[in-house]
């Protein structure tokens, strides 16, 4: 008999035998009361705990096994990890590791300046490269993830057709393992993957169109018509412009800036980001129901017309120059980092959407009915009702997303391996490689890196909670 079977047998004997003796010494049962005796025997541990700790101590007694397990597998490893960070050597046994004090931390901070990892020691270079890449990932990915999860929750919270199906579809990626997710997106993004095949097929079709006379004129007119329709839809409302159509118009404006590239006239880049900033400003003006909203959209429309006239479509749509690329290993393009943000958001968004959906459903419907009776616009109802009431739930989502983003490892390791070069090298990957994959495994340095990462996460989390608490008190 195995050890587990022996322990289970002993536990059963103690429960049945000890419980029977304990009950029979305190109560008398008749033959017809055998079912009552069996029920009392099932509840014997609770009754026994109550007799020892009293009624108020029973909940703590029931929590004790769970806390012991949680402490054994969480708090004890944390304490051991903290101790290991002050030791050296290569042995995994604690008593065979010499005490080196703060030497592991000193090696990490051995830099002329930590903001230039190349000036650090080998340990510092790997750690700070991974840390700054992770911080940059968190700064970009957390807002994107929270916004996408909130928008998705708002959509699936409405009474739309197939609502249950869409909720399941958005949540489904959460149940996939990182290995499956990495294989799916490797299949999509490698040089002969689905994405390149789609782009290549579209390129071939557009190349045929590009050979037709006047294709640039046709494309200019087509884009102009689309912008006119969208702007007309945005301005159709009798009160303030439609926020949804204004958002679409802003997205088209940002793309148009990227195509026309007006900053290239003065030798600068980043026209797309300039267009994105203008589009965001336009959306904020409309969402705040400013009296200048209509004028802003009209001015943006005039600007779009000027950009359309300036675009050279024969240069923009030079389809013959496209060559399939491996999106995950193309250096100095930003694509590997972009796809990491995209894949991480795709695979985790459903979990946070579910939390936000629960928060949305907890908002009383009477508030929205009163807002409709007062002819409140949906955008104003969102800013004045939905967002303030969902803020506690959104705070939970922000904290969880922040911690999970700092811990990113599986997707990076399986998709890019930290490359190309060190562009996607994250802090958890550095800890893993230092402690487990190097020829000279340095558990102390890995433990010191994990302690520093925990400190950074705690600082970010407490700062976020402090900001949220101050906003709720205003």
């Amino acid at each position: 008999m195995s050890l587990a079977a022996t322990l289970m047998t002993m536990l059963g004997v103690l429960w049945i035998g000890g419980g029977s003796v304990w009950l029979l010494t305190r109560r008398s049962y008749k033959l017809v009361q055998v079912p009552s005796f069996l029920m009392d025997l099932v509840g014997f541990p609770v009754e026994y705990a109550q007799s020892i700790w009293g009624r108020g101590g029973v909940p703590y007694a029931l929590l004790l096994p769970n806390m012991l397990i949680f402490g054994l597998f969480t708090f004890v490893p944390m304490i051991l990890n903290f101790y290991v960070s002050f030791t050296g050597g290569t042995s995994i046994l604690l008593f065979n590791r010499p005490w080196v004090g703060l030497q592991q931390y000193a090696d990490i901070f051995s830099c002329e300046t930590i903001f230039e990892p190349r000036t650090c020691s080998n340990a510092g270079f790997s750690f700070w490269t991974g840390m700054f890449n992770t911080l940059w990932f968190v700064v970009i990915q957390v807002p994107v993830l929270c916004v996408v999860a909130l928008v998705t929750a708002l959509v699936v919270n409405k009474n739309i057709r197939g609502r249950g199906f869409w909720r399941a579809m958005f949540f489904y990626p959460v149940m996939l393992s990182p290995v499956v997710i990495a294989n799916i997106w490797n299949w999509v993004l490698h040089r002969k993957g689905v994405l390149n095949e789609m782009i290549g097929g579209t390129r071939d079709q557009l190349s045929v169109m590009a050979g037709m006379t006047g294709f640039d004129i046709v494309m200019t007119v087509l884009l102009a018509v689309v912008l006119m329709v969208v702007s007309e839809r945005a301005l159709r409302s009798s009160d303030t412009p439609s926020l949804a159509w204004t958002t679409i118009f802003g997205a088209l404006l940002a793309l148009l800036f990227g195509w026309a590239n007006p900053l290239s006239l003065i030798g600068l880049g980043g026209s797309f980001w300039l267009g994105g900033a203008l589009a965001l400003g336009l959306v904020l003006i409309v969402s705040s129901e400013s009296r200048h909203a209509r004028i802003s959209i009209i001015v943006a429309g005039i600007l779009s017309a000027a950009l359309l006239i300036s675009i050279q479509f024969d240069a923009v749509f030079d389809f013959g120059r496209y060559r399939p690329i491996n999106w995950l290993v193309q250096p100095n393009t930003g694509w590997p980092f972009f796809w990491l943000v995209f894949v991480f958001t795709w695979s985790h968004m459903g979990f946070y959407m579910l939390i936000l959906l629960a928060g949305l459903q907890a908002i009383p419907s009477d508030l929205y009915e009163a807002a409709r009776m007062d002819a409140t616009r949906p955008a104003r109802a969102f800013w004045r009702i939905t967002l303030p009431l969902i803020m506690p739930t959104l705070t939970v989502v922000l904290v969880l997303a922040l911690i999970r983003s700092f811990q990113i490892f599986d997707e990076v390791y399986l998709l890019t391996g930290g490359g190309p070069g060190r562009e996607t090298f994250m802090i958890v990957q550095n800890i893993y490689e230092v402690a487990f994959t190097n020829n000279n495994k340095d558990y102390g340095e890995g433990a010191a890196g994990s302690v520093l990462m925990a400190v950074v996460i705690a600082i970010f989390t407490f700062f976020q909670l402090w900001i949220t608490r101050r906003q709720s008190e205003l």
Side-chain angles (χ1 to χ4, degrees):
M1 183 179 293
S2 64
L3 178 61
T6 303
L7 292 175
M8 293 299 295
T9 301
M10 294 176 60
L11 180 62
V13 170
L14 287 175
W15 191 328
I16 296 174
S20 299
V21 172
W22 191 83
L23 289 172
L24 292 174
T25 55
R26 283 163 175 78
R27 301 172 190 168
S28 60
Y29 294 91
K30 298 181 180 179
L31 188 60
V32 295
Q33 293 178 315
V34 171
S36 299
F37 171 76
L38 294 177
M39 291 298 101
D40 291 342
L41 187 61
V42 170
F44 155 71
V46 177
E47 190 173 350
Y48 182 72
Q50 185 174 338
S51 66
I52 296 177
W53 290 293
R55 186 179 298 274
V58 171
Y60 300 100
L62 296 176
L63 284 173
L64 182 61
N66 184 56
M67 294 304 297
L68 289 175
I69 295 174
F70 187 77
L72 179 64
F73 293 101
T74 302
F75 292 116
V76 172
M78 287 174 59
I79 296 171
L80 293 178
N81 181 78
F82 186 71
Y83 173 79
V84 169
S85 69
F86 294 99
T87 62
T90 59
S91 175
I92 197 172
L93 300 176
L94 294 180
F95 299 106
N96 293 336
R97 298 185 59 81
W99 181 268
V100 296
L102 297 175
Q103 183 60 44
Q104 303 289 1
Y105 297 94
D107 291 341
I108 293 176
F109 283 94
S110 179
C111 307
E112 293 180 13
T113 169
I114 62 174
F115 298 105
E116 295 183 10
R118 295 185 182 277
T119 65
C120 302
S121 62
N122 290 335
F125 172 74
S126 298
F127 178 85
W128 293 114
T129 300
M131 178 60 74
F132 289 132
N133 284 341
T134 304
L135 289 173
W136 182 237
F137 176 82
V138 169
V139 168
I140 295 177
Q141 194 275 328
V142 170
V144 170
L145 178 62
C146 292
V147 169
V148 172
L150 179 58
V151 171
T152 308
L154 289 170
V155 172
V156 298
N157 190 47
K158 295 183 178 296
N159 189 19
I160 59 176
R161 182 175 298 178
R163 181 172 60 179
F165 169 79
W166 292 114
R167 289 177 180 177
M169 286 299 99
F170 285 123
F171 185 75
Y172 179 71
V174 179
M175 299 185 292
L176 299 178
S177 71
V179 176
V180 174
I181 291 172
N183 285 330
I184 290 174
W185 286 102
N186 267 320
W187 176 60
V188 172
L189 298 173
H190 68 75
R191 183 176 293 275
K192 295 184 179 180
V194 176
L195 181 59
N196 279 321
E197 290 295 327
M198 291 176 59
I199 294 176
T202 305
R203 178 203 61 186
D204 295 338
Q205 295 176 6
L206 293 178
S207 296
V208 175
M209 295 178 63
M212 301 178 182
T213 303
F215 173 67
D216 55 346
I217 299 176
V218 173
M219 288 300 298
T220 303
V221 173
L222 180 60
L223 282 176
V225 170
V226 172
L227 287 167
M228 287 175 58
V229 170
V230 173
S231 60
E232 186 274 334
R233 290 282 182 176
L235 294 170
R236 173 179 290 187
S237 177
S238 58
D239 298 327
T240 57
S242 169
L243 180 60
W245 285 106
T246 302
T247 303
I248 298 174
F249 181 80
L252 294 174
L253 180 64
L255 292 175
L256 198 53
F257 260 85
W259 287 339
N261 195 16
L263 293 181
S264 63
L265 298 175
I266 56 176
L268 297 177
S271 295
F272 174 78
W273 300 111
L274 174 61
L278 293 176
L280 180 60
L282 183 63
V283 171
L284 291 176
I285 290 174
V286 173
S287 65
S288 63
E289 301 183 0
S290 171
R291 59 190 180 91
H292 301 296
R294 287 182 175 275
I295 298 176
S296 300
I297 294 179
I298 294 173
V299 171
I302 296 173
L303 181 60
S304 301
L307 291 173
L308 281 172
I309 294 173
S310 69
I311 288 179
Q312 298 295 322
F313 278 89
D314 56 344
V316 174
F317 295 98
D318 188 1
F319 306 108
R321 292 188 300 182
Y322 175 76
R323 295 293 183 273
I325 62 174
N326 191 329
W327 301 94
L328 297 174
V329 298
Q330 196 73 11
N332 301 321
T333 61
W335 283 118
F337 198 90
F338 167 82
W339 285 113
L340 278 182
V341 174
F342 180 87
V343 171
F344 192 88
T345 302
W346 177 82
S347 59
H348 294 85
M349 178 267 296
F351 173 72
Y352 302 105
M353 176 208 71
L354 206 63
I355 298 175
L356 291 169
L357 183 61
L360 289 172
Q361 293 180 346
I363 299 176
S365 59
D366 298 346
L367 298 176
Y368 295 108
E369 293 178 2
R372 282 193 294 269
M373 293 177 64
D374 291 338
T376 304
R377 293 179 58 83
R380 187 174 181 83
F382 171 78
W383 290 107
R384 297 296 184 179
I385 299 176
T386 305
L387 193 59
L389 293 179
I390 206 176
M391 189 56 70
T393 307
L394 189 59
T395 301
V396 174
V397 168
L398 284 171
V399 172
L400 293 178
L402 180 75
I403 295 173
R404 183 63 186 87
S405 297
F406 266 104
Q407 296 173 341
I408 182 173
F409 171 71
D410 309 83
E411 293 85 352
V412 176
Y413 198 73
L414 295 170
L415 282 174
T416 67
R422 294 265 177 165
E423 288 185 22
T424 59
F425 184 76
M426 302 296 175
I427 185 62
V428 177
Q429 183 177 350
N430 170 63
I431 295 170
Y432 169 74
E433 291 182 353
V434 167
F436 300 109
T437 64
N438 288 347
N439 292 329
N440 297 321
K441 299 179 177 60
D442 195 334
Y443 302 111
E445 183 184 328
S450 64
V451 170
L452 292 175
M453 187 188 76
V455 171
V456 172
I457 294 176
I459 292 173
F460 270 82
T461 303
F462 288 136
F463 178 75
Q464 195 173 44
L465 292 174
W466 178 73
I467 292 293
T468 305
R469 187 176 294 109
R470 280 181 59 87
Q471 291 178 345
S472 62
E473 291 174 355
L474 294 178

